[in-house]
Amino acid sequence: MNFFDILRLAGGLALFLFGMRYMGEKLEKQTGKRLEPLLSRFTENKFKGFLTGTAGAALMQSSSAVTVMVVGFVDSGLITLHNATGVIIGSNVGTTFTSWILSLSGVEGGTFLLDLLMPSSLAPIAAVAGILLFNGKKSNRKDVGGIILGFAVLMTGLNVMADSASGIKNEPWAMEMLTLFSNPVLGVIAGALLTAIVQSSSASVGILQTLSLTGAISFYSCVPIVLGQNIGTCATTLIAGLGASTNARRAALIHLYFNTFSAAIFGGLFFIIQRFADISWIHNPADAVGIAAIHTAFNVFSAIIMLPLSTFLEKTAIKSVPQLKNI
């Protein structure tokens, strides 16, 4: 792995992050205005809120965008703190849709359909379709074209990263660094920091999926990283809560508590089961599809466990910021 491989890896990462951000902004522009009345209307109880949050995050390709909107709605009084909890929990499930799209990087060719699904094929197709719509006169078509172009840039960056990361296999120092993630504590910290920096759990999961192509990251190592990624995504919501009303800050803390408590429960059960049960495949090299499955399993498990405990999350947040005055 030489200087130019590192340069291409950095460039691919830049394209990937830009494509993710640009696509997210265009999706938010298209769906955000339509989602606002839905959030205020279909959050009468935590179950409706959960379904609304799941659908919203899947459409906007971002749980952070949904939770930030929720914090804003709580701040303005459009949604109660109690009903906001369900939306926050649902958004974590909806965001797993993105990881399945990004798992296309692990698709192996062989048939025409599979070759068509590979990033190297999807990117140029999306680019052509996107630019045709983007050059249209109608604003809606321009926005849709922007979404598709963002996806094309995202897939191009993913493809460049995948090609560049293949050279890491031959670098002992890089492989040793990747194996450090086998330490659960370091894995959680690494996942949280990476997500806080890029401000998107979807993006950080995509980076992890790309690194898995090196074959140096096992499923065992991926679990704590994914747990950390979910905790790290709370940074955006916490920032949104700064300077807001008391209940808005509580809503931001609910997001943090939900991800932290569920990560502790899921992680504890996983390592206990792994310790006493013979799960040999857990030490096999991870792939993009497997990481998407872990990401989904964790968030669905978290929703099943924590949705009935939403009142507990709400009371914990209220105790954390009692009668907080606005700044």
Tab-separated table of all heavy atoms in Angstrom, residues 84-149:
chain	number	residue	atom	x	y	z
A	84	ALA	N	-42.730	11.848	21.986
A	84	ALA	CA	-41.479	11.941	21.234
A	84	ALA	C	-40.618	10.695	21.416
A	84	ALA	O	-39.844	10.329	20.528
A	84	ALA	CB	-40.697	13.181	21.671
A	85	THR	N	-40.756	10.036	22.559
A	85	THR	CA	-39.933	8.863	22.857
A	85	THR	C	-40.122	7.768	21.812
A	85	THR	O	-39.154	7.158	21.343
A	85	THR	CB	-40.266	8.312	24.252
A	85	THR	OG1	-40.161	9.355	25.212
A	85	THR	CG2	-39.309	7.194	24.627
A	86	GLY	N	-41.364	7.503	21.429
A	86	GLY	CA	-41.632	6.469	20.433
A	86	GLY	C	-41.013	6.792	19.089
A	86	GLY	O	-40.494	5.903	18.396
A	87	VAL	N	-41.051	8.061	18.690
A	87	VAL	CA	-40.471	8.481	17.415
A	87	VAL	C	-38.957	8.260	17.422
A	87	VAL	O	-38.367	7.776	16.446
A	87	VAL	CB	-40.785	9.955	17.124
A	87	VAL	CG1	-40.221	10.366	15.767
A	87	VAL	CG2	-42.283	10.207	17.161
A	88	ILE	N	-38.325	8.609	18.538
A	88	ILE	CA	-36.874	8.455	18.661
A	88	ILE	C	-36.478	6.986	18.552
A	88	ILE	O	-35.520	6.630	17.850
A	88	ILE	CB	-36.390	9.055	19.998
A	88	ILE	CG1	-36.559	10.573	19.977
A	88	ILE	CG2	-34.932	8.682	20.275
A	88	ILE	CD1	-36.318	11.249	21.307
A	89	ILE	N	-37.209	6.120	19.225
A	89	ILE	CA	-36.914	4.685	19.170
A	89	ILE	C	-37.134	4.157	17.750
A	89	ILE	O	-36.325	3.378	17.223
A	89	ILE	CB	-37.783	3.918	20.180
A	89	ILE	CG1	-37.404	4.325	21.609
A	89	ILE	CG2	-37.622	2.408	20.009
A	89	ILE	CD1	-38.292	3.725	22.693
A	90	GLY	N	-38.213	4.579	17.107
A	90	GLY	CA	-38.504	4.122	15.756
A	90	GLY	C	-37.472	4.580	14.741
A	90	GLY	O	-37.147	3.842	13.800
A	91	SER	N	-36.920	5.775	14.926
A	91	SER	CA	-35.939	6.295	13.972
A	91	SER	C	-34.686	5.428	13.922
A	91	SER	O	-34.049	5.309	12.871
A	91	SER	CB	-35.571	7.742	14.330
A	91	SER	OG	-34.858	7.802	15.556
A	92	ASN	N	-34.344	4.816	15.055
A	92	ASN	CA	-33.167	3.941	15.072
A	92	ASN	C	-33.379	2.692	14.237
A	92	ASN	O	-32.436	2.156	13.651
A	92	ASN	CB	-32.823	3.550	16.519
A	92	ASN	CG	-31.930	4.569	17.194
A	92	ASN	OD1	-32.094	5.766	16.986
A	92	ASN	ND2	-30.981	4.110	17.983
A	93	VAL	N	-34.613	2.210	14.184
A	93	VAL	CA	-34.912	1.042	13.351
A	93	VAL	C	-34.924	1.442	11.880
A	93	VAL	O	-34.392	0.738	11.016
A	93	VAL	CB	-36.272	0.420	13.742
A	93	VAL	CG1	-36.631	-0.730	12.805
A	93	VAL	CG2	-36.232	-0.073	15.183
A	94	GLY	N	-35.502	2.604	11.567
A	94	GLY	CA	-35.596	3.051	10.181
A	94	GLY	C	-34.260	3.302	9.529
A	94	GLY	O	-34.093	3.068	8.322
A	95	THR	N	-33.276	3.741	10.323
A	95	THR	CA	-31.975	4.065	9.745
A	95	THR	C	-31.209	2.827	9.284
A	95	THR	O	-30.230	2.944	8.533
A	95	THR	CB	-31.122	4.864	10.758
A	95	THR	OG1	-30.015	5.461	10.084
A	95	THR	CG2	-30.590	3.950	11.860
A	96	THR	N	-31.625	1.634	9.721
A	96	THR	CA	-30.924	0.404	9.297
A	96	THR	C	-31.144	0.125	7.818
A	96	THR	O	-30.395	-0.658	7.223
A	96	THR	CB	-31.413	-0.812	10.107
A	96	THR	OG1	-32.820	-1.009	9.885
A	96	THR	CG2	-31.185	-0.605	11.595
A	97	PHE	N	-32.154	0.759	7.223
A	97	PHE	CA	-32.409	0.566	5.789
A	97	PHE	C	-31.190	0.973	4.966
A	97	PHE	O	-30.871	0.348	3.949
A	97	PHE	CB	-33.637	1.382	5.380
A	97	PHE	CG	-34.000	1.269	3.935
A	97	PHE	CD1	-34.549	0.103	3.421
A	97	PHE	CD2	-33.804	2.346	3.075
A	97	PHE	CE1	-34.877	-0.007	2.084
A	97	PHE	CE2	-34.139	2.244	1.734
A	97	PHE	CZ	-34.674	1.069	1.239
A	98	THR	N	-30.501	2.022	5.407
A	98	THR	CA	-29.331	2.512	4.675
A	98	THR	C	-28.212	1.482	4.643
A	98	THR	O	-27.545	1.311	3.622
A	98	THR	CB	-28.811	3.815	5.307
A	98	THR	OG1	-29.883	4.742	5.432
A	98	THR	CG2	-27.713	4.433	4.460
A	99	SER	N	-28.000	0.787	5.753
A	99	SER	CA	-26.909	-0.191	5.800
A	99	SER	C	-27.135	-1.335	4.821
A	99	SER	O	-26.176	-1.914	4.301
A	99	SER	CB	-26.741	-0.739	7.225
A	99	SER	OG	-27.893	-1.447	7.637
A	100	TRP	N	-28.401	-1.651	4.546
A	100	TRP	CA	-28.692	-2.704	3.559
A	100	TRP	C	-28.390	-2.218	2.149
A	100	TRP	O	-27.941	-2.991	1.292
A	100	TRP	CB	-30.146	-3.160	3.676
A	100	TRP	CG	-30.373	-3.999	4.886
A	100	TRP	CD1	-30.995	-3.629	6.039
A	100	TRP	CD2	-29.934	-5.350	5.092
A	100	TRP	NE1	-30.988	-4.664	6.944
A	100	TRP	CE2	-30.357	-5.734	6.389
A	100	TRP	CE3	-29.241	-6.275	4.304
A	100	TRP	CZ2	-30.084	-6.989	6.920
A	100	TRP	CZ3	-28.977	-7.527	4.823
A	100	TRP	CH2	-29.398	-7.876	6.116
A	101	ILE	N	-28.622	-0.930	1.890
A	101	ILE	CA	-28.256	-0.371	0.587
A	101	ILE	C	-26.738	-0.408	0.407
A	101	ILE	O	-26.217	-0.797	-0.643
A	101	ILE	CB	-28.771	1.073	0.449
A	101	ILE	CG1	-30.301	1.094	0.455
A	101	ILE	CG2	-28.246	1.724	-0.835
A	101	ILE	CD1	-30.892	2.488	0.405
A	102	LEU	N	-26.025	-0.023	1.480
A	102	LEU	CA	-24.567	0.010	1.415
A	102	LEU	C	-23.961	-1.392	1.363
A	102	LEU	O	-22.818	-1.560	0.942
A	102	LEU	CB	-24.000	0.778	2.616
A	102	LEU	CG	-24.426	2.245	2.730
A	102	LEU	CD1	-23.809	2.881	3.965
A	102	LEU	CD2	-24.022	3.018	1.482
A	103	SER	N	-24.725	-2.404	1.785
A	103	SER	CA	-24.210	-3.773	1.745
A	103	SER	C	-24.055	-4.271	0.313
A	103	SER	O	-23.483	-5.336	0.084
A	103	SER	CB	-25.138	-4.723	2.520
A	103	SER	OG	-26.382	-4.877	1.850
A	104	LEU	N	-24.531	-3.484	-0.651
A	104	LEU	CA	-24.349	-3.846	-2.058
A	104	LEU	C	-22.878	-3.899	-2.427
A	104	LEU	O	-22.502	-4.515	-3.420
A	104	LEU	CB	-25.069	-2.836	-2.964
A	104	LEU	CG	-26.604	-2.821	-2.885
A	104	LEU	CD1	-27.164	-1.654	-3.693
A	104	LEU	CD2	-27.169	-4.135	-3.398
A	105	SER	N	-22.023	-3.241	-1.602
A	105	SER	CA	-20.587	-3.286	-1.865
A	105	SER	C	-20.032	-4.692	-1.719
A	105	SER	O	-18.969	-5.019	-2.239
A	105	SER	CB	-19.833	-2.343	-0.902
A	105	SER	OG	-20.014	-2.765	0.447
A	106	GLY	N	-20.784	-5.545	-1.011
A	106	GLY	CA	-20.333	-6.923	-0.820
A	106	GLY	C	-20.939	-7.899	-1.807
A	106	GLY	O	-20.695	-9.102	-1.723
A	107	VAL	N	-21.731	-7.367	-2.753
A	107	VAL	CA	-22.350	-8.240	-3.746
A	107	VAL	C	-21.300	-8.745	-4.724
A	107	VAL	O	-20.473	-7.975	-5.224
A	107	VAL	CB	-23.466	-7.491	-4.518
A	107	VAL	CG1	-23.983	-8.338	-5.672
A	107	VAL	CG2	-24.601	-7.142	-3.576
A	108	GLU	N	-21.307	-10.019	-4.974
A	108	GLU	CA	-20.386	-10.607	-5.933
A	108	GLU	C	-21.114	-10.855	-7.243
A	108	GLU	O	-22.257	-11.303	-7.267
A	108	GLU	CB	-19.818	-11.927	-5.396
A	108	GLU	CG	-18.958	-11.749	-4.144
A	108	GLU	CD	-18.374	-13.055	-3.667
A	108	GLU	OE1	-18.629	-14.085	-4.335
A	108	GLU	OE2	-17.673	-13.052	-2.656
A	109	GLY	N	-20.432	-10.553	-8.348
A	109	GLY	CA	-21.030	-10.720	-9.664
A	109	GLY	C	-21.179	-12.184	-10.039
A	109	GLY	O	-20.874	-13.091	-9.283
A	110	GLY	N	-21.641	-12.409	-11.259
A	110	GLY	CA	-21.837	-13.774	-11.720
A	110	GLY	C	-22.999	-13.840	-12.683
A	110	GLY	O	-22.944	-14.513	-13.709
A	111	THR	N	-24.050	-13.102	-12.371
A	111	THR	CA	-25.197	-13.005	-13.264
A	111	THR	C	-25.398	-11.535	-13.621
A	111	THR	O	-24.851	-10.648	-12.964
A	111	THR	CB	-26.467	-13.553	-12.600
A	111	THR	OG1	-26.815	-12.706	-11.497
A	111	THR	CG2	-26.260	-14.976	-12.099
A	112	PHE	N	-26.196	-11.297	-14.643
A	112	PHE	CA	-26.423	-9.923	-15.082
A	112	PHE	C	-27.047	-9.090	-13.972
A	112	PHE	O	-26.650	-7.936	-13.750
A	112	PHE	CB	-27.350	-9.928	-16.311
A	112	PHE	CG	-27.711	-8.546	-16.785
A	112	PHE	CD1	-26.815	-7.796	-17.534
A	112	PHE	CD2	-28.944	-7.981	-16.463
A	112	PHE	CE1	-27.142	-6.517	-17.965
A	112	PHE	CE2	-29.283	-6.704	-16.878
A	112	PHE	CZ	-28.377	-5.968	-17.643
A	113	LEU	N	-28.023	-9.657	-13.230
A	113	LEU	CA	-28.698	-8.913	-12.169
A	113	LEU	C	-27.738	-8.557	-11.045
A	113	LEU	O	-27.732	-7.425	-10.545
A	113	LEU	CB	-29.873	-9.734	-11.622
A	113	LEU	CG	-30.697	-9.075	-10.511
A	113	LEU	CD1	-31.286	-7.757	-10.994
A	113	LEU	CD2	-31.800	-10.006	-10.026
A	114	LEU	N	-26.908	-9.519	-10.642
A	114	LEU	CA	-25.948	-9.254	-9.565
A	114	LEU	C	-24.892	-8.241	-10.007
A	114	LEU	O	-24.479	-7.382	-9.228
A	114	LEU	CB	-25.282	-10.560	-9.123
A	114	LEU	CG	-26.162	-11.543	-8.347
A	114	LEU	CD1	-25.391	-12.816	-8.038
A	114	LEU	CD2	-26.652	-10.911	-7.050
A	115	ASP	N	-24.453	-8.349	-11.254
A	115	ASP	CA	-23.486	-7.373	-11.772
A	115	ASP	C	-24.095	-5.971	-11.788
A	115	ASP	O	-23.408	-4.977	-11.548
A	115	ASP	CB	-23.049	-7.759	-13.184
A	115	ASP	CG	-22.108	-8.958	-13.193
A	115	ASP	OD1	-21.464	-9.204	-12.155
A	115	ASP	OD2	-22.029	-9.646	-14.227
A	116	LEU	N	-25.399	-5.897	-12.053
A	116	LEU	CA	-26.086	-4.621	-12.111
A	116	LEU	C	-26.195	-3.976	-10.733
A	116	LEU	O	-26.235	-2.750	-10.608
A	116	LEU	CB	-27.485	-4.820	-12.700
A	116	LEU	CG	-28.218	-3.579	-13.231
A	116	LEU	CD1	-27.450	-2.979	-14.402
A	116	LEU	CD2	-29.621	-3.949	-13.666
A	117	LEU	N	-26.228	-4.814	-9.682
A	117	LEU	CA	-26.365	-4.309	-8.318
A	117	LEU	C	-25.047	-3.875	-7.695
A	117	LEU	O	-25.040	-3.287	-6.618
A	117	LEU	CB	-27.011	-5.383	-7.430
A	117	LEU	CG	-28.489	-5.699	-7.707
A	117	LEU	CD1	-28.943	-6.867	-6.847
A	117	LEU	CD2	-29.364	-4.485	-7.464
A	118	MET	N	-23.934	-4.168	-8.345
A	118	MET	CA	-22.637	-3.792	-7.796
A	118	MET	C	-22.441	-2.284	-7.894
A	118	MET	O	-22.920	-1.645	-8.836
A	118	MET	CB	-21.520	-4.527	-8.538
A	118	MET	CG	-21.559	-6.036	-8.355
A	118	MET	SD	-20.234	-6.882	-9.233
A	118	MET	CE	-18.808	-6.350	-8.265
A	119	PRO	N	-21.743	-1.662	-6.920
A	119	PRO	CA	-21.528	-0.211	-6.933
A	119	PRO	C	-20.906	0.294	-8.230
A	119	PRO	O	-21.238	1.383	-8.691
A	119	PRO	CB	-20.578	0.007	-5.750
A	119	PRO	CG	-20.884	-1.116	-4.822
A	119	PRO	CD	-21.201	-2.297	-5.702
A	120	SER	N	-20.000	-0.487	-8.826
A	120	SER	CA	-19.349	-0.069	-10.061
A	120	SER	C	-20.345	0.062	-11.209
A	120	SER	O	-20.099	0.795	-12.171
A	120	SER	CB	-18.251	-1.064	-10.441
A	120	SER	OG	-18.783	-2.373	-10.558
A	121	SER	N	-21.472	-0.655	-11.127
A	121	SER	CA	-22.508	-0.563	-12.158
A	121	SER	C	-23.598	0.435	-11.771
A	121	SER	O	-24.094	1.197	-12.608
A	121	SER	CB	-23.148	-1.943	-12.396
A	121	SER	OG	-22.188	-2.891	-12.797
A	122	LEU	N	-23.964	0.436	-10.500
A	122	LEU	CA	-25.036	1.324	-10.044
A	122	LEU	C	-24.641	2.799	-10.144
A	122	LEU	O	-25.468	3.644	-10.490
A	122	LEU	CB	-25.403	1.002	-8.593
A	122	LEU	CG	-26.427	-0.106	-8.355
A	122	LEU	CD1	-26.625	-0.306	-6.867
A	122	LEU	CD2	-27.757	0.217	-9.020
A	123	ALA	N	-23.378	3.112	-9.842
A	123	ALA	CA	-22.933	4.500	-9.817
A	123	ALA	C	-23.111	5.195	-11.173
A	123	ALA	O	-23.713	6.277	-11.239
A	123	ALA	CB	-21.478	4.579	-9.358
A	124	PRO	N	-22.607	4.637	-12.282
A	124	PRO	CA	-22.798	5.333	-13.561
A	124	PRO	C	-24.256	5.401	-14.000
A	124	PRO	O	-24.681	6.397	-14.602
A	124	PRO	CB	-21.959	4.508	-14.543
A	124	PRO	CG	-21.779	3.179	-13.903
A	124	PRO	CD	-21.761	3.442	-12.439
A	125	ILE	N	-25.036	4.346	-13.699
A	125	ILE	CA	-26.459	4.362	-14.057
A	125	ILE	C	-27.173	5.479	-13.306
A	125	ILE	O	-27.960	6.256	-13.874
A	125	ILE	CB	-27.107	3.005	-13.737
A	125	ILE	CG1	-26.538	1.909	-14.634
A	125	ILE	CG2	-28.625	3.080	-13.913
A	125	ILE	CD1	-26.996	0.509	-14.268
A	126	ALA	N	-26.895	5.568	-11.990
A	126	ALA	CA	-27.506	6.617	-11.165
A	126	ALA	C	-27.043	8.001	-11.602
A	126	ALA	O	-27.830	8.962	-11.593
A	126	ALA	CB	-27.172	6.385	-9.697
A	127	ALA	N	-25.774	8.122	-11.992
A	127	ALA	CA	-25.240	9.417	-12.417
A	127	ALA	C	-25.943	9.917	-13.676
A	127	ALA	O	-26.310	11.097	-13.770
A	127	ALA	CB	-23.737	9.306	-12.662
A	128	VAL	N	-26.135	9.034	-14.638
A	128	VAL	CA	-26.802	9.418	-15.883
A	128	VAL	C	-28.259	9.806	-15.609
A	128	VAL	O	-28.740	10.851	-16.075
A	128	VAL	CB	-26.745	8.264	-16.915
A	128	VAL	CG1	-27.612	8.600	-18.129
A	128	VAL	CG2	-25.312	8.023	-17.353
A	129	ALA	N	-28.965	8.968	-14.846
A	129	ALA	CA	-30.369	9.255	-14.531
A	129	ALA	C	-30.484	10.540	-13.716
A	129	ALA	O	-31.389	11.362	-13.947
A	129	ALA	CB	-30.975	8.089	-13.760
A	130	GLY	N	-29.576	10.727	-12.767
A	130	GLY	CA	-29.614	11.901	-11.907
A	130	GLY	C	-29.377	13.191	-12.658
A	130	GLY	O	-30.077	14.187	-12.441
A	131	ILE	N	-28.391	13.199	-13.559
A	131	ILE	CA	-28.064	14.436	-14.272
A	131	ILE	C	-29.169	14.816	-15.248
A	131	ILE	O	-29.433	16.002	-15.486
A	131	ILE	CB	-26.709	14.320	-15.007
A	131	ILE	CG1	-26.162	15.707	-15.357
A	131	ILE	CG2	-26.828	13.459	-16.252
A	131	ILE	CD1	-25.813	16.546	-14.159
A	132	LEU	N	-29.854	13.821	-15.819
A	132	LEU	CA	-30.977	14.104	-16.717
A	132	LEU	C	-32.117	14.792	-15.963
A	132	LEU	O	-32.721	15.751	-16.460
A	132	LEU	CB	-31.481	12.805	-17.359
A	132	LEU	CG	-30.551	12.160	-18.398
A	132	LEU	CD1	-31.122	10.815	-18.860
A	132	LEU	CD2	-30.346	13.089	-19.595
A	133	LEU	N	-32.414	14.290	-14.763
A	133	LEU	CA	-33.467	14.903	-13.952
A	133	LEU	C	-33.025	16.250	-13.396
A	133	LEU	O	-33.810	17.196	-13.312
A	133	LEU	CB	-33.855	13.963	-12.806
A	133	LEU	CG	-34.605	12.689	-13.195
A	133	LEU	CD1	-34.724	11.760	-11.986
A	133	LEU	CD2	-35.991	13.029	-13.729
A	134	PHE	N	-31.753	16.338	-13.005
A	134	PHE	CA	-31.226	17.556	-12.393
A	134	PHE	C	-31.241	18.729	-13.366
A	134	PHE	O	-31.374	19.890	-12.965
A	134	PHE	CB	-29.794	17.312	-11.901
A	134	PHE	CG	-29.265	18.402	-11.014
A	134	PHE	CD1	-29.675	18.507	-9.698
A	134	PHE	CD2	-28.366	19.335	-11.503
A	134	PHE	CE1	-29.199	19.514	-8.877
A	134	PHE	CE2	-27.879	20.351	-10.686
A	134	PHE	CZ	-28.297	20.438	-9.368
A	135	ASN	N	-31.099	18.443	-14.654
A	135	ASN	CA	-31.101	19.502	-15.669
A	135	ASN	C	-32.507	19.860	-16.139
A	135	ASN	O	-32.669	20.678	-17.052
A	135	ASN	CB	-30.251	19.077	-16.882
A	135	ASN	CG	-28.771	19.124	-16.571
A	135	ASN	OD1	-28.311	19.962	-15.802
A	135	ASN	ND2	-28.006	18.219	-17.160
A	136	GLY	N	-33.512	19.245	-15.533
A	136	GLY	CA	-34.893	19.566	-15.878
A	136	GLY	C	-35.290	20.929	-15.348
A	136	GLY	O	-34.578	21.558	-14.559
A	137	LYS	N	-36.434	21.408	-15.775
A	137	LYS	CA	-36.893	22.742	-15.391
A	137	LYS	C	-37.690	22.742	-14.088
A	137	LYS	O	-37.687	23.722	-13.352
A	137	LYS	CB	-37.749	23.334	-16.517
A	137	LYS	CG	-36.959	23.597	-17.805
A	137	LYS	CD	-37.856	24.211	-18.873
A	137	LYS	CE	-37.055	24.509	-20.142
A	137	LYS	NZ	-37.895	25.117	-21.207
A	138	LYS	N	-38.378	21.639	-13.798
A	138	LYS	CA	-39.204	21.580	-12.594
A	138	LYS	C	-38.338	21.351	-11.361
A	138	LYS	O	-37.433	20.520	-11.374
A	138	LYS	CB	-40.250	20.474	-12.728
A	138	LYS	CG	-41.279	20.729	-13.830
A	138	LYS	CD	-42.332	19.639	-13.853
A	138	LYS	CE	-43.393	19.919	-14.915
A	138	LYS	NZ	-44.434	18.853	-14.950
A	139	SER	N	-38.641	22.090	-10.296
A	139	SER	CA	-37.823	22.013	-9.074
A	139	SER	C	-37.889	20.635	-8.426
A	139	SER	O	-36.897	20.154	-7.875
A	139	SER	CB	-38.277	23.079	-8.075
A	139	SER	OG	-39.648	22.906	-7.735
A	140	ASN	N	-39.068	20.012	-8.464
A	140	ASN	CA	-39.198	18.673	-7.872
A	140	ASN	C	-38.297	17.671	-8.564
A	140	ASN	O	-37.670	16.831	-7.925
A	140	ASN	CB	-40.655	18.197	-7.940
A	140	ASN	CG	-41.525	18.867	-6.892
A	140	ASN	OD1	-41.021	19.403	-5.905
A	140	ASN	ND2	-42.829	18.858	-7.109
A	141	ARG	N	-38.237	17.766	-9.898
A	141	ARG	CA	-37.362	16.865	-10.649
A	141	ARG	C	-35.898	17.144	-10.347
A	141	ARG	O	-35.079	16.230	-10.286
A	141	ARG	CB	-37.628	16.996	-12.151
A	141	ARG	CG	-38.970	16.410	-12.590
A	141	ARG	CD	-39.100	16.408	-14.104
A	141	ARG	NE	-40.358	15.812	-14.530
A	141	ARG	CZ	-40.710	15.654	-15.803
A	141	ARG	NH1	-39.900	16.069	-16.775
A	141	ARG	NH2	-41.868	15.095	-16.099
A	142	LYS	N	-35.568	18.427	-10.177
A	142	LYS	CA	-34.194	18.784	-9.819
A	142	LYS	C	-33.802	18.163	-8.478
A	142	LYS	O	-32.692	17.650	-8.316
A	142	LYS	CB	-34.036	20.308	-9.743
A	142	LYS	CG	-33.936	21.000	-11.089
A	142	LYS	CD	-33.755	22.497	-10.890
A	142	LYS	CE	-33.527	23.201	-12.207
A	142	LYS	NZ	-32.200	22.881	-12.764
A	143	ASP	N	-34.713	18.209	-7.516
A	143	ASP	CA	-34.432	17.651	-6.194
A	143	ASP	C	-34.276	16.126	-6.262
A	143	ASP	O	-33.389	15.559	-5.632
A	143	ASP	CB	-35.546	18.017	-5.217
A	143	ASP	CG	-35.527	19.488	-4.852
A	143	ASP	OD1	-34.446	20.094	-4.937
A	143	ASP	OD2	-36.585	20.034	-4.485
A	144	VAL	N	-35.157	15.487	-7.032
A	144	VAL	CA	-35.044	14.031	-7.199
A	144	VAL	C	-33.730	13.687	-7.898
A	144	VAL	O	-33.044	12.733	-7.532
A	144	VAL	CB	-36.248	13.474	-7.996
A	144	VAL	CG1	-36.035	11.993	-8.313
A	144	VAL	CG2	-37.541	13.663	-7.223
A	145	GLY	N	-33.389	14.502	-8.914
A	145	GLY	CA	-32.114	14.302	-9.594
A	145	GLY	C	-30.936	14.471	-8.648
A	145	GLY	O	-29.952	13.743	-8.717
A	146	GLY	N	-31.062	15.448	-7.726
A	146	GLY	CA	-30.003	15.660	-6.727
A	146	GLY	C	-29.857	14.471	-5.802
A	146	GLY	O	-28.734	14.093	-5.438
A	147	ILE	N	-30.986	13.874	-5.415
A	147	ILE	CA	-30.949	12.671	-4.568
A	147	ILE	C	-30.211	11.543	-5.275
A	147	ILE	O	-29.340	10.880	-4.698
A	147	ILE	CB	-32.379	12.221	-4.207
A	147	ILE	CG1	-33.061	13.262	-3.313
A	147	ILE	CG2	-32.359	10.865	-3.498
A	147	ILE	CD1	-34.542	13.017	-3.099
A	148	ILE	N	-30.550	11.334	-6.545
A	148	ILE	CA	-29.929	10.253	-7.311
A	148	ILE	C	-28.448	10.534	-7.552
A	148	ILE	O	-27.607	9.624	-7.484
A	148	ILE	CB	-30.669	10.049	-8.643
A	148	ILE	CG1	-32.125	9.652	-8.389
A	148	ILE	CG2	-29.992	8.971	-9.489
A	148	ILE	CD1	-32.976	9.555	-9.634
A	149	LEU	N	-28.109	11.801	-7.824
A	149	LEU	CA	-26.702	12.161	-8.010
A	149	LEU	C	-25.912	11.956	-6.721
A	149	LEU	O	-24.764	11.488	-6.747
A	149	LEU	CB	-26.584	13.623	-8.463
A	149	LEU	CG	-26.875	13.910	-9.943
A	149	LEU	CD1	-26.859	15.413	-10.202
A	149	LEU	CD2	-25.851	13.213	-10.836
